[in-house]
């Protein structure tokens, strides 16, 4: 019978960030295998997700990342190797050897990863490990932004920036599932326009070839209910002007500001700060920031 408690420390293979570096500099190395504590399980990893936070932390610019060296990775799918405490196995909806998907909060790029009990779910039988590893971060972020912060309703009109990205595609599916009849999505190529249209975006917009704000205002002069903005910069102010009374801009990233020289960002940062509070009060609309890494 397999043991449900933590095994003695061993080594494992992992991708470890030794220092800020380029993707081409990454290599697999041997590191100590983690041992779960009470309230945790050890997952034998079969697939892990690659997220924007992993890229930013590899560049040494992610404030929530542990100090170098560390193993990145926020989400995995695999099988339960053991529990931190044997008694916890009895109350869990999964057991040793069962297929699961899990949040890891770093440590996912490895053969084994620690996950909190509350961040683990059984993997449906008809899902692959790769499918499971794509779910936790993207869908939890999209759900939180749309329903918890954005107060999405069936009748809502929604604008999704970067709709072809992971969170964007998750948000499209959630919007369609919720019954939203109008889902506007921005992206940067004809191929992505076709992709998001197939996924369920009713009004795709290529922001490289047209002014998305002018296009949205032309199509829906009465305004938008919920806008998911992962770009930041000067798009925040543009989005606020597109809201109908009671509408919300939910900001959960700042891709416009990532990787650019600091001196080139001054105008974009100022544009985020120079918002007319009186206008927001008069329309009962506003901007809401959410940190998906703390879900």
């Amino acid at each position: 019978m397999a043991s449900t408690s933590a095994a003695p420390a061993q080594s494992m293979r992992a991708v470890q960030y030794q220092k800020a570096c380029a993707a081409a500099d990454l290599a697999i190395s041997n590191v100590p295998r983690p041992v779960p504590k009470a309230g945790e399980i050890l997952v034998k990893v079969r697939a892990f997700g690659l997220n924007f936070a992993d890229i930013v932390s590899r560049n040494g610019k992610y404030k929530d990342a542990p100090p170098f060296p560390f193993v990145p990775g926020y989400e995995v799918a695999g099988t339960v190797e053991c529990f931190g405490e044997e008694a916890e196995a009895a109350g869990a909806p999964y057991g040793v050897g069962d297929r699961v998907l899990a949040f890891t909060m770093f440590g996912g790029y490895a053969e084994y990863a620690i996950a909190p009990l509350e961040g683990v779910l059984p993997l449906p039988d008809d899902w692959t490990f790769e499918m499971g590893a794509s779910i936790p971060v993207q869908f939890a972020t999209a759900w939180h932004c749309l329903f918890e912060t954005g107060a999405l309703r069936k009748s809502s009109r929604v604008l999704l920036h970067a709709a072809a990205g992971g969170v964007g595609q998750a948000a499209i599916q959630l919007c369609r599932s919720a019954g939203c009849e109008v889902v506007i999505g921005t992206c940067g190529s004809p191929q992505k326009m076709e992709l998001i249209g197939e996924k369920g975006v009713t009004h795709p917009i290529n922001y490289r070839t047209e002014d998305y704000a002018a296009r949205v205002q032309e199509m829906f002069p009465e305004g938008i209910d919920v806008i998911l903005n992962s770009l930041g910069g000067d798009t925040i102010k543009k989005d606020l002007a597109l809201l109908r009374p009671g509408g919300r801009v939910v900001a959960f990233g700042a891709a416009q500001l990532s990787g650019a020289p600091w001196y080139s960002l001054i105008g974009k940062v100022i544009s985020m700060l120079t918002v007319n509070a009186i206008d927001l009060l008069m329309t009962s609309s506003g901007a809401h920031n959410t940190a998906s890494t703390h879900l």
Side-chain angles (χ1 to χ4, degrees), residues 8-289:
Q10 303 172 29
S11 65
M12 65 175 183
R13 293 179 302 167
V15 176
Q16 189 178 55
Y17 292 171
Q18 300 291 339
K19 59 181 180 179
C21 65
D25 297 326
L26 298 178
I28 296 174
S29 58
N30 287 318
V31 301
R33 193 172 102 172
V35 177
K37 303 187 294 291
E40 297 177 339
I41 69 166
L42 184 67
V43 178
K44 185 175 183 179
V45 177
R46 295 289 300 275
F48 62 79
L50 172 63
N51 292 284
F52 186 63
D54 299 323
I55 298 172
V56 178
S57 63
R58 174 172 53 76
N59 294 328
K61 298 178 180 179
Y62 196 58
K63 68 179 182 64
D64 287 335
F68 293 112
F70 67 91
V71 176
Y74 272 96
E75 56 189 349
V76 301
T79 56
V80 178
E81 184 71 9
C82 63
F83 287 75
E85 285 191 356
E86 189 166 345
E88 293 175 331
Y94 42 79
V96 171
D98 287 350
R99 292 160 25 103
V100 294
L101 58 87
F103 283 100
T104 51
M105 276 302 291
F106 299 102
Y109 287 25
E111 290 184 292
Y112 296 89
I114 296 289
L117 290 175
E118 65 271 19
V120 182
L121 289 172
L123 185 67
D125 292 338
D126 58 345
W127 287 18
T128 66
F129 288 112
E130 290 79 8
M131 291 170 66
S134 72
I135 295 297
V137 171
Q138 315 298 342
F139 275 84
T141 301
W143 176 274
H144 183 80
C145 290
L146 287 171
F147 295 98
E148 302 296 333
T149 308
L152 186 77
R153 301 179 303 277
K154 183 176 181 179
S155 59
S156 296
R157 290 174 178 165
V158 184
L159 168 60
L160 307 173
H161 286 290
V167 174
Q169 291 192 46
I172 294 169
Q173 295 176 61
L174 292 174
C175 286
R176 301 306 291 171
S177 178
C180 298
E181 295 183 1
V182 174
V183 181
I184 308 162
T186 70
C187 59
S189 73
Q191 294 81 4
K192 291 180 179 179
M193 291 266 287
E194 182 177 355
L195 171 66
I196 63 177
E198 292 172 352
K199 294 293 182 181
V201 166
T202 57
H203 298 77
I205 298 174
N206 187 337
Y207 66 85
R208 296 186 188 277
T209 59
E210 59 182 326
D211 183 332
Y212 82 86
R215 180 74 177 123
V216 171
Q217 206 156 34
E218 175 188 338
M219 291 189 294
F220 303 103
E222 61 274 26
I224 304 299
D225 296 293
V226 182
I227 301 177
L228 263 57
N229 188 311
S230 60
L231 305 177
D234 52 11
T235 62
I236 298 292
K237 196 169 183 179
K238 290 181 180 179
D239 286 354
L240 287 169
L242 296 175
L243 293 177
R244 63 169 30 163
R248 298 186 178 196
V249 174
V250 182
F252 62 100
Q256 271 199 357
L257 309 184
S258 177
W262 68 267
Y263 49 82
S264 69
L265 304 178
I266 295 174
K268 293 184 182 295
V269 172
I270 290 175
S271 74
M272 294 174 67
L273 301 177
T274 55
V275 173
N276 190 325
I278 300 300
D279 287 346
L280 297 183
L281 288 170
M282 293 295 289
T283 60
S284 299
S285 58
H288 302 259
N289 180 62

